[in-house]
Amino acid sequence: MTTTTARHEAPEERVGSPATARYVHDLARLHGSLRYGGLEDAILGAPLARIDGLGDGLTTLSFWEWQLPERYMLAILGFRLAQFLQTGLMDRELAHRLALFHEPLPAPARGVGTVHTVTLTGDGRIVGYLGLVGSPDPEPLPLDSPVRLGLPVEVAHRVDLLSEYAAPDRTTHNAFEIKRFVRDHQLPRGEQRNRVPWHLMLACLKVGVALDEIQVIVGDAGERGALRHLRLVGFDLKVVEGTTPWLPRSELMWISYELPVEKRAKPFAALVPANLPELAAMLETMVAGGGAGWRQAVVSSLGGPARMRG
Amino acid sequence: MLTIERPAELNFDTFPPEVQRFRDRVREYARKVVAPRALELDQEAHDHFAWDVVHQGHRLGLTRAVLPKEFGGMGVGLVGVTLAMEELAAACPGVALVFGATMLAQGPILLSGDPQLQARFLPLFGGDDAILACNAICDQEAGLDLVVPQNVRHAYGMTTIRRDGDEYVLNGHKRVITNATVANFASVFGTMEGVRPDEGLTCLIVPLDSPGVTRGPVADKMGYRACLGGELLFEDVRVPAENVVGGEGDGLSILVAQGNMARPSVAAISTGVARHALETAIEFCGQRVQGGALLREHQMTARKLAEMTAKVDAARLLYLRAADKVDNSLPPPEYEPAVAKLFADQVAIEVAGDAVGLLGSRGFIREYGLEKVLRDSYGARIYEGTPEALALAITDCLYRTDDEEGDDDDDR
């Protein structure tokens, strides 16, 4: 997972040609202008998680990829592209050259599939996203199987994150990667903006509660981004230092691994905490609390146990 | 001489399932949403616009019907679009044209084959809220000159375009542009400064919130009042160079191809107008008793109804043939769309007039709705090629030699 809350400024040399800069600007404007108020009604069946009515005007929905019609899938992929191009964590020149207006559609899932989580404003604007990508193995394999297919983060960092969690009742279909944790770059500073990552995190916990097959999570993230959020909500993360991630230059995200070491995402893995339902309920109560002090409450209430574990 | 071949495998009784489903959904929308509002929209102020009606049509895919599926489009081809246009126009051609004008403006972007231009504008139509576009051809002075390719060189007083670094600078005054008041962007045709229009005609995609764009007054039209025909003023509007469609001077070929793509849809709108009039007349003549017999049993009336229905059927077959040809030919054909439009536009006027005659005073009184149909029937006679312009295009095809066809291909 390359995690961003869209604060990172891309190095100047990566802004690209004036035409590319205009392209990125136009895509951001285009996707920022689109509204998807009908997304929830378009979900086939019930969403895996739904967060609403917290008084912040945000609605967060989690669903399997197969539950969403393609037009809305394109909307999500468009949002992701526009956001990551703005942060400079995707190759702007490549996106421009390929005339992308959304991230490429994923190939039909061979394995477990992907759970998408989106946060929407009241008028249907997508302002946050988080993905949980399942194993590409068509059939479940032991986590230490030499023939299992790597999750994207393992491929990029050339690291095995799952073997040490091998257990008789645990397979590759129990491991999920958190990807593309992102908040809308254009969302004005304020309460709503502050709450988007917590909406996403809460939905992520609720998905974990709803899908007990999720036992291990992996990803890659920055210390100030999702690593912090995940630790706060109770994940005992094992962070692998010193990897040399690499993606071919045909991949949009290759550029994110060329950042200075201190800004680079670190791979991590963790078992899903056994008390996930309690953690989710606690987080929901605090986020629902509103008022000026809710963030501090989240940090102090969840941070205490996290510090004790640490 | 033009050889008109008998098309193989044409079957206009059944359509691919996705086309059938699209038509059925549009038909339901036309009957349940548009038709009950048609008279009200006609009698509103000339600048009133029913966004609520448009939003509902957008949700069915009417603003992206012509777009490929990768842009969230419906993938129903022009055959699907024309069937939808007939359904809409049978309820209200003004509403049909709101969507038709948007598709018209999408045409140059699709025809450009420029994936970056497409990526920057076509996904706009994939959201849940309606986005509209407009096609800005007619200038204050240059009108029909831009519709008849051989006359383009005579066009004068046109919108001008000047290259300035990475931008183009646009100046001009467009008039009677459907959706000008409500569109997000316009496909604007102008000529490069100092270049004869037939060599300098150029198409730019212009976001209408660009500095220097002013939306002018809305025309108070005789018909099609549910859509707004407005003016656009461009004063030193700066447009990124990458917004050019094709390249400088490619406007004429874009314009011709766009017109050929659009005419089957306009023919379908005219067919829908005629169908509305016909259905009204059939209902009335099947109930109204005069001289001791139903009107339909009077031979003069029966003859009139029979001719009206034959005309509507023929108009439909012609637009479907043209749409099918456009879907399967590159570049789009010139002959079939022009013939379809010429015929259907005339049928709309004739059938609407006959229906008004059959209904007597009910045809003349506004509240019965047929008076609106009669006014609307004259609309397509004007836009996207008058009969006079179409006649030139058709006759040109009749006398075109095989060599000239080949030359055209070479040029392309």
Side-chain angles (χ1 to χ4, degrees), chain B residues 352-383:
Chain B
D354 286 344
V356 166
L358 288 171
L359 263 73
S361 62
R362 288 170 179 77
F364 202 64
I365 295 172
R366 186 164 283 180
E367 69 178 270
Y368 289 95
L370 204 54
E371 173 263 357
K372 169 187 182 296
V373 177
L374 184 65
R375 282 186 282 113
D376 285 339
S377 73
Y378 280 84
R381 195 202 179 286
I382 311 293
Y383 68 88

Side-chain angles (χ1 to χ4, degrees), chain A residues 44-66:
Chain A
L44 296 172
L48 296 170
R50 182 180 191 281
I51 300 164
D52 194 13
L54 300 187
D56 51 15
L58 299 171
T59 300
T60 298
L61 300 158
S62 301
F63 40 83
W64 288 104
E65 186 160 306
W66 59 263

Side-chain angles (χ1 to χ4, degrees), chain A residues 33 122 125 217 220 237 240-241 253 259 287 300:
Chain A
S33 73
R125 175 177 170 185
I217 60 151
D220 64 356
L237 300 179
V240 181
E241 304 280 353
M253 297 293 287
L259 291 170
V287 175
S300 57

Side-chain angles (χ1 to χ4, degrees), chain A residues 25 174 179 212 240 254 261-262 271 300:
Chain A
H25 173 265
N174 300 123
K179 279 180 78 73
D212 56 11
V240 181
W254 74 267
V261 173
E262 67 276 12
L271 284 174
S300 57

Side-chain angles (χ1 to χ4, degrees), chain B residues 29 34 41 53-54 85 88 92-100 224 226-227:
Chain B
Y29 160 73
V34 180
L41 298 180
V53 172
V54 174
M85 287 293 117
L88 287 174
C92 179
V95 172
L97 193 57
V98 171
F99 299 110
Y224 282 69
C227 66

Side-chain angles (χ1 to χ4, degrees), chain A residues 227-295:
Chain A
L227 286 181
R228 177 170 160 267
H229 285 103
L230 286 165
R231 285 193 180 110
L232 276 172
V233 297
F235 283 82
D236 186 10
L237 300 179
K238 177 178 185 260
V239 178
V240 181
E241 304 280 353
T243 59
T244 50
W246 177 86
L247 284 174
R249 296 207 166 202
S250 56
E251 295 278 343
L252 285 167
M253 297 293 287
W254 74 267
I255 208 164
S256 67
Y257 295 133
E258 304 256 321
L259 291 170
V261 173
E262 67 276 12
K263 289 186 174 177
R264 213 175 283 165
K266 299 173 184 175
F268 65 84
L271 284 174
V272 171
N275 62 337
L276 197 65
E278 291 80 28
L279 288 171
M282 197 190 308
L283 181 59
E284 184 160 24
T285 303
M286 284 181 285
V287 175
W294 72 270
R295 268 205 304 173

Side-chain angles (χ1 to χ4, degrees), chain A:
Chain A
M1 171 181 66
T2 301
T3 310
T4 178
T5 47
R7 286 182 189 144
H8 171 71
E9 289 299 323
E12 196 61 36
E13 67 269 22
R14 288 185 179 139
V15 168
S17 67
T20 297
R22 284 197 294 272
Y23 177 78
V24 171
H25 173 265
D26 284 357
L27 277 192
R29 191 166 171 240
L30 185 157
H31 287 291
S33 73
L34 297 177
R35 299 291 179 269
Y36 297 100
L39 188 147
E40 181 169 4
D41 290 340
I43 296 172
L44 296 172
L48 296 170
R50 182 180 191 281
I51 300 164
D52 194 13
L54 300 187
D56 51 15
L58 299 171
T59 300
T60 298
L61 300 158
S62 301
F63 40 83
W64 288 104
E65 186 160 306
W66 59 263
Q67 290 185 273
L68 201 66
E70 185 170 296
R71 182 166 73 84
Y72 287 106
M73 199 59 234
L74 294 181
I76 290 172
L77 295 171
F79 170 77
R80 285 177 13 182
L81 178 73
Q83 294 305 318
F84 279 91
L85 287 177
Q86 287 175 85
T87 62
L89 294 175
M90 277 183 180
D91 184 346
R92 294 169 172 169
E93 292 288 356
L94 179 63
H96 185 205
R97 196 163 58 246
L98 296 176
L100 296 181
F101 53 93
H102 56 71
E103 279 195 64
L105 272 169
R110 288 181 303 164
V112 178
T114 300
V115 174
H116 300 279
T117 296
V118 291
T119 299
L120 299 144
T121 57
D123 64 351
R125 175 177 170 185
I126 300 176
V127 291
Y129 174 83
L130 184 153
L132 280 171
V133 180
S135 162
D137 286 331
E139 298 297 329
L141 293 169
L143 293 182
D144 54 359
S145 166
V147 295
R148 75 172 176 83
L149 297 170
L151 286 160
V153 62
E154 295 180 284
V155 174
H157 287 266
R158 287 168 286 175
V159 64
D160 175 1
L161 293 171
L162 297 183
S163 289
E164 74 172 86
Y165 297 101
D169 59 345
R170 201 175 283 151
T171 73
T172 50
H173 283 198
N174 300 123
F176 284 74
E177 177 176 342
I178 299 181
K179 279 180 78 73
R180 305 282 197 268
F181 184 19
V182 65
R183 170 175 60 190
D184 185 357
H185 194 71
Q186 297 168 328
L187 202 57
R189 291 193 179 280
E191 267 306 281
Q192 206 170 49
R193 179 184 165 91
N194 292 337
R195 295 170 76 91
V196 170
W198 292 106
H199 261 254
L200 293 167
M201 200 50 64
L202 177 57
C204 187
L205 297 189
K206 287 188 161 198
V207 169
V209 172
L211 300 174
D212 56 11
E213 63 262 43
I214 302 180
Q215 295 181 23
V216 182
I217 60 151
V218 300
D220 64 356
E223 282 290 349
R224 290 171 54 81
L227 286 181
R228 177 170 160 267
H229 285 103
L230 286 165
R231 285 193 180 110
L232 276 172
V233 297
F235 283 82
D236 186 10
L237 300 179
K238 177 178 185 260
V239 178
V240 181
E241 304 280 353
T243 59
T244 50
W246 177 86
L247 284 174
R249 296 207 166 202
S250 56
E251 295 278 343
L252 285 167
M253 297 293 287
W254 74 267
I255 208 164
S256 67
Y257 295 133
E258 304 256 321
L259 291 170
V261 173
E262 67 276 12
K263 289 186 174 177
R264 213 175 283 165
K266 299 173 184 175
F268 65 84
L271 284 174
V272 171
N275 62 337
L276 197 65
E278 291 80 28
L279 288 171
M282 197 190 308
L283 181 59
E284 184 160 24
T285 303
M286 284 181 285
V287 175
W294 72 270
R295 268 205 304 173
Q296 195 163 359
V298 170
V299 172
S300 57
S301 300
L302 293 174
R307 279 193 298 276
M308 286 175 69
R309 280 192 309 275

